[in-house]
Amino acid sequence: MTADNVLPSVLVPNMPETPDSLRPYAELVRDTGVRRLWTGQSLKVEAHQAFAHLAGAGIRVPVGLSVTLMPLRHPYEAALQARSLALMTGLPVVAGYGVGSAAFVRSLNGRPYPSPRTMAADYLRTVRALLDGEIVDHAGDYHALRGRLIPMEHPHVEVGVGVLRPNMARTAGGVADVAITWMTPPGYVAENLLPALEEGAKDRDRDTRCRVATVVHVAVERDGRNPHVLAHTAASGHLAMEHYTDMLRRAGVPADPADPVAGAAALVDSGTYLYGSADHIAAGLEEYRNAGVDEVILNCAGVLFTEGQAAAFRDAREIIEAVGRRNSG
């Protein structure tokens, strides 16, 4: 294994507010040679358009979306946007999708999805088929489509889905190219998610399981920093949600949505929030790779939100350099 293919990726933790908001992150990815720049759903500047703006400005780096929300776009539009992004960047794209919370779905559709897993499977299957140039003839409970994308050559697009628990992992294993996990400890990935991904692949007669990309909260230990404060600043929203805390409890991390402060402390104490020297963090990231994670994504949200972008980029660079040193021998 070479240093090149073990370097992490980098996440933009906040929603871009201007077309140029992503430029410093893209330059960081370009200059450090890491694998990919990721961003999530933005309800400010739309993520596909922000990445396209960067490409138009001459900054072309591999990108990933983790995750855009299915209720916002028909799968035909999703496939068209993903392919367009691959054409504009000239590089492979990971197009990751998520079902969204029941409240969010209800706000758009008037009711939640009766079966989020069925919705996800149908959606991902349709997007993949369209990107592969197939004619889709589907009339399901969640969308209908008779048609295809106009055929064009384009860089490869991987279709991903957000995965936290084994049931969705089984779904992902049957239909997705990438399972994108968030705040999932390495042991939990190895013992709970990978078997479910493999089971889903086997049920669909797929030869191999999909890749796993995991977003990991990180911060370098420095004078004046309190890791519990950093973890709470970064993850308080997720720590107040039942599906995230349920996943953490399954992983042996005591987290209660009624007490995000205690949940943040548990993240740090369990090592799920990686805090320490850059070399310590690099060793922690290697545990994810040893657990079967194919792509580790650095999330410096805690530092970004408390100290600003320069401090977050300093942490990211030091961690990237430490990973490179660790794998250069």
Side-chain angles (χ1 to χ4, degrees), residues 44-90:
K44 293 180 178 178
V45 176
E46 209 282 327
H48 292 82
Q49 295 183 37
F51 280 143
H53 173 82
L54 287 176
I59 305 175
R60 294 178 171 86
V61 296
V63 298
L65 297 155
S66 171
V67 293
T68 57
L69 298 179
M70 298 176 192
L72 292 175
R73 50 176 60 89
H74 188 278
Y76 190 96
E77 169 72 3
L80 179 60
Q81 289 280 3
R83 186 180 73 174
S84 297
L85 195 53
L87 287 165
M88 290 179 189
T89 62

Side-chain angles (χ1 to χ4, degrees), residues 217-219 224-237 239 260-269 273 275 300-307:
H217 286 290
V218 294
R225 284 185 175 174
N226 182 327
H228 292 177
V229 171
L230 292 174
H232 183 259
T233 301
S236 58
L239 291 168
V261 172
L267 287 184
V268 175
D269 296 344
Y273 189 103
Y275 182 79
C300 296
V303 176
L304 177 73
F305 296 147
T306 56
E307 300 178 27

Side-chain angles (χ1 to χ4, degrees), residues 9-278:
S9 295
V10 172
L11 176 78
V12 181
N14 55 338
M15 296 183 189
E17 296 189 353
T18 70
D20 284 320
S21 296
L22 298 186
R23 177 186 282 266
Y25 292 93
E27 291 173 342
L28 175 69
V29 169
R30 180 195 64 194
D31 296 344
T32 58
V34 298
R35 295 181 63 168
R36 199 180 327 273
L37 177 63
W38 289 83
T39 190
Q41 176 64 56
S42 175
L43 300 177
K44 293 180 178 178
V45 176
E46 209 282 327
H48 292 82
Q49 295 183 37
F51 280 143
H53 173 82
L54 287 176
I59 305 175
R60 294 178 171 86
V61 296
V63 298
L65 297 155
S66 171
V67 293
T68 57
L69 298 179
M70 298 176 192
L72 292 175
R73 50 176 60 89
H74 188 278
Y76 190 96
E77 169 72 3
L80 179 60
Q81 289 280 3
R83 186 180 73 174
S84 297
L85 195 53
L87 287 165
M88 290 179 189
T89 62
L91 294 165
V93 168
V94 179
Y97 303 98
V99 175
S101 68
F104 184 77
V105 174
R106 186 183 297 109
S107 72
L108 293 173
N109 295 341
R111 64 186 181 96
Y113 296 131
S115 174
R117 287 181 60 199
T118 300
M119 162 61 181
D122 286 354
Y123 194 100
L124 299 167
R125 199 176 289 116
T126 294
V127 173
R128 179 72 270 161
L130 289 167
L131 288 167
D132 289 342
E134 299 176 12
I135 297 172
V136 175
D137 188 354
H138 176 80
D141 293 334
Y142 301 100
H143 71 267
L145 174 64
R146 294 189 65 187
R148 68 185 299 188
L149 288 178
I150 296 172
M152 294 178 67
E153 292 293 324
H154 60 86
H156 185 58
V157 177
E158 290 181 289
V159 176
V161 63
V163 170
L164 284 180
R165 293 178 286 190
N167 281 344
M168 185 59 81
R170 276 186 282 274
T171 298
V175 295
D177 303 312
V178 187
I180 304 164
T181 78
W182 182 285
M183 219 160 59
T184 48
Y188 176 80
V189 174
E191 296 168 14
N192 293 268
L193 297 185
L194 288 185
L197 288 170
E198 291 164 359
E199 182 182 334
K202 182 178 179 181
D203 289 345
R204 286 284 175 175
D205 294 323
R206 302 180 87 184
D207 293 333
T208 58
R209 68 162 174 84
C210 60
R211 290 197 311 118
V212 177
T214 297
V215 178
V216 182
H217 286 290
V218 294
V220 174
E221 183 176 2
R222 303 190 193 280
D223 289 344
R225 284 185 175 174
N226 182 327
H228 292 177
V229 171
L230 292 174
H232 183 259
T233 301
S236 58
H238 295 97
L239 291 168
M241 297 181 184
E242 176 57 36
H243 56 302
Y244 281 97
T245 53
D246 176 66
M247 175 275 294
L248 288 168
R249 291 191 299 272
R250 293 180 189 217
V253 180
D256 183 339
D259 192 352
V261 172
L267 287 184
V268 175
D269 296 344
S270 66
T272 305
Y273 189 103
L274 274 174
Y275 182 79
S277 69

